[in-house]
């Protein structure tokens, strides 16, 4: 565990402008740590309280101060990610993911209808052979049953990601629909991330490095899960994406495409992001460009906000 003062001396806070609104934001702020083992990222979303955000800091510290695990592959298949945009905007979004054979489509957006979701999914299905959807827990059980039927009327879905908020609802839905169920928030936001598996409430586990406390912690959880794993990003910068790719590369088996292509949502990132080749991204380290770190630096007020947040999370990081 590094000293707090050492962490603060190595801290860079950046604000990354986004091409489209995603998770309700158009600028993504993250704090980066220039450590002796590499660069780490602390990017817990602002609304997260310190106990939850501390896991994200642990992930950043791990990347900055600890050696990387052994990997089993040098590239990782990724899915295209389609935000809750109008169907007419889908081709523009998919153009940022050349060669992707799988697409994840956001659904259940507040203020939108199931008809909007169906139109968006059908527009994606017209261009990409494998489609999965992510509701972020936005449906009740009856709504999820209806959505599963509507969204598969014109073609199959690879899976429904976090269609409902609770493990009990996921388990009930899994018994009522033929579409596979994937769990995300029920794993990364749970005090017991393995409960959803023991409850037989999911067919696929979506794991994110930062919310789970780092690559090592994610791999420990993955080793206890007997269903396929999908590694996904948490709207990370190039630094965080590199850690997700590393985690996916370290898994003994990788059946599904991973949600690690979200770098295309940024107008500019802290490092040059390689474009996917045939739907794959390479595994490797990322070193931010000093000019980009300077040009994308957050305001002094926002930097101080992140410093105070790091101070608050630091004592909780490895409890």
């Amino acid at each position: 565990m590094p000293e707090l003062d050492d962490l603060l001396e190595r801290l860079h806070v950046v604000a990354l402008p986004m091409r489209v609104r995603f998770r309700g934001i158009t600028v993504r702020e993250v704090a980066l740590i220039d450590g002796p083992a590499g660069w780490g990222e602390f990017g817990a979303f602002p609304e997260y309280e310190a106990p939850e955000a501390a896991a994200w800091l642990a992930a950043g510290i791990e990347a900055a101060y600890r050696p990387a695990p052994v990997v089993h592959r040098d590239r990782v298949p990724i899915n295209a990610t389609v935000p809750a945009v109008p169907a007419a905007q889908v081709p523009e979004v998919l153009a940022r993911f050349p060669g992707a054979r799988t697409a994840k489509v956001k659904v259940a957006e507040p203020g939108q209808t199931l008809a909007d979701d169906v139109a968006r999914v059908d527009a994606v299905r017209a261009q990409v052979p494998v489609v999965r959807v992510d509701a972020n827990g936005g449906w009740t059980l009856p709504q999820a049953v209806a959505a599963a039927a509507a969204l598969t009327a014109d073609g199959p879905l690879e899976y429904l990601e976090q269609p409902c908020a609770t493990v009990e609802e996921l388990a009930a839905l899994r018994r009522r629909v033929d579409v596979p169920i994937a769990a995300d928030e029920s794993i990364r936001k749970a005090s017991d991330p393995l409960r959803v598996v023991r409850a037989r409430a999911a067919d696929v586990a979506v794991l994110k490095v930062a919310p789970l406390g780092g690559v090592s912690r994610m791999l420990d959880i993955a080793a206890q899960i007997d269903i396929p794993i999908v590694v996904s990003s948490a709207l990370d910068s190039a630094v965080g994406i590199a850690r997700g790719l590393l985690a996916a590369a370290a898994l003994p088996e990788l059946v599904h495409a991973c949600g690690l292509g979200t770098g295309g949502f940024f107008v500019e990132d802290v490092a040059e992001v390689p474009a996917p080749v045939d739907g794959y991204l390479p595994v490797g380290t990322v070193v931010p460009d000093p000019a980009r770190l300077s040009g994308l630096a957050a305001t002094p007020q926002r930097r101080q906000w992140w410093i105070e947040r790091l101070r608050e999370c630091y004592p909780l990081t490895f409890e």
Side-chain angles (χ1 to χ4, degrees):
M1 183 70 171
E3 295 294 331
L4 177 60
D5 287 346
D6 187 56
L7 275 177
L8 294 177
E9 287 177 6
R10 299 173 180 272
L11 201 68
H12 300 260
V13 180
V14 294
L16 309 179
M18 300 178 62
R19 299 180 191 278
V20 295
R21 181 177 294 274
F22 194 80
R23 284 191 92 262
I25 62 174
T26 55
V27 175
R28 175 71 164 121
E29 288 185 351
V30 298
L32 303 177
I33 305 165
D34 181 6
W39 285 78
E41 178 170 323
F42 172 40
F45 293 105
E47 66 270 22
Y48 291 0
E49 298 293 336
E52 184 174 0
W56 299 61
L57 178 57
I61 290 172
E62 177 196 59
Y65 289 87
R66 297 178 183 172
V70 174
V71 298
H72 301 286
R73 54 193 66 83
D74 61 5
R75 64 176 193 160
V76 170
I78 64 158
N79 64 247
T81 301
V82 180
V85 297
Q89 206 173 327
V90 162
E92 174 190 336
V93 173
L94 291 178
R96 302 187 196 115
F97 302 92
R101 300 174 181 86
T102 301
K104 179 169 81 170
V105 185
K106 290 291 185 178
V107 293
E109 182 82 358
Q112 296 188 7
T113 66
L114 180 55
D116 296 324
D117 293 338
V118 170
R120 186 181 312 111
V121 167
D122 285 347
V124 173
R125 192 177 276 129
Q127 293 190 241
V128 179
V130 178
V131 180
R132 56 181 70 153
V133 300
D134 182 7
N136 291 116
W139 290 321
T140 63
L141 179 58
Q143 287 172 333
V145 172
L151 293 168
T152 56
D154 295 320
L157 290 175
E158 185 182 26
Y159 57 70
L160 294 168
E161 182 175 329
Q162 200 66 46
C164 303
T166 70
V167 171
E168 291 76 17
E169 287 172 316
L170 294 184
L173 179 64
R174 190 166 178 256
R175 293 191 294 267
R176 293 180 59 178
V177 301
D178 293 330
V179 186
I181 305 299
D184 174 9
E185 286 88 347
S186 289
I187 296 174
R188 65 180 168 88
K189 285 182 168 286
S191 57
D192 178 4
L194 299 175
R195 178 171 170 251
V196 70
V197 179
R198 290 197 301 271
R200 303 182 66 81
D203 302 280
V204 176
V206 179
L207 303 185
K208 297 181 178 179
V209 169
L212 292 175
V215 172
S216 296
R217 171 65 172 152
M218 195 215 83
L219 293 175
D220 287 345
I221 292 171
Q224 301 174 66
I225 289 176
D226 60 357
I227 57 178
I229 304 295
V230 171
V231 182
S232 191
S233 91
L235 200 56
D236 306 315
S237 77
V239 171
I241 291 291
R243 295 298 289 181
L245 291 167
L246 176 69
L251 288 171
E253 288 187 282
L254 191 63
V255 178
H256 299 282
C258 289
L260 296 167
T262 54
F265 289 143
F266 298 127
V267 176
E268 191 172 3
D269 208 330
V270 294
E272 189 67 35
V273 179
V277 176
D278 296 328
Y280 287 79
L281 281 174
V283 177
T285 58
V286 165
V287 177
D289 180 344
R292 293 183 184 221
L293 284 176
S294 176
L296 294 167
T299 65
Q301 294 82 2
R302 293 304 300 166
R303 174 179 168 80
Q304 188 60 39
W305 185 90
W306 280 94
I307 288 172
E308 295 305 320
R309 190 177 208 204
L310 193 152
R311 289 182 184 277
E312 184 182 13
C313 292
Y314 179 81
L316 309 173
T317 299
F318 292 103
E319 286 189 350

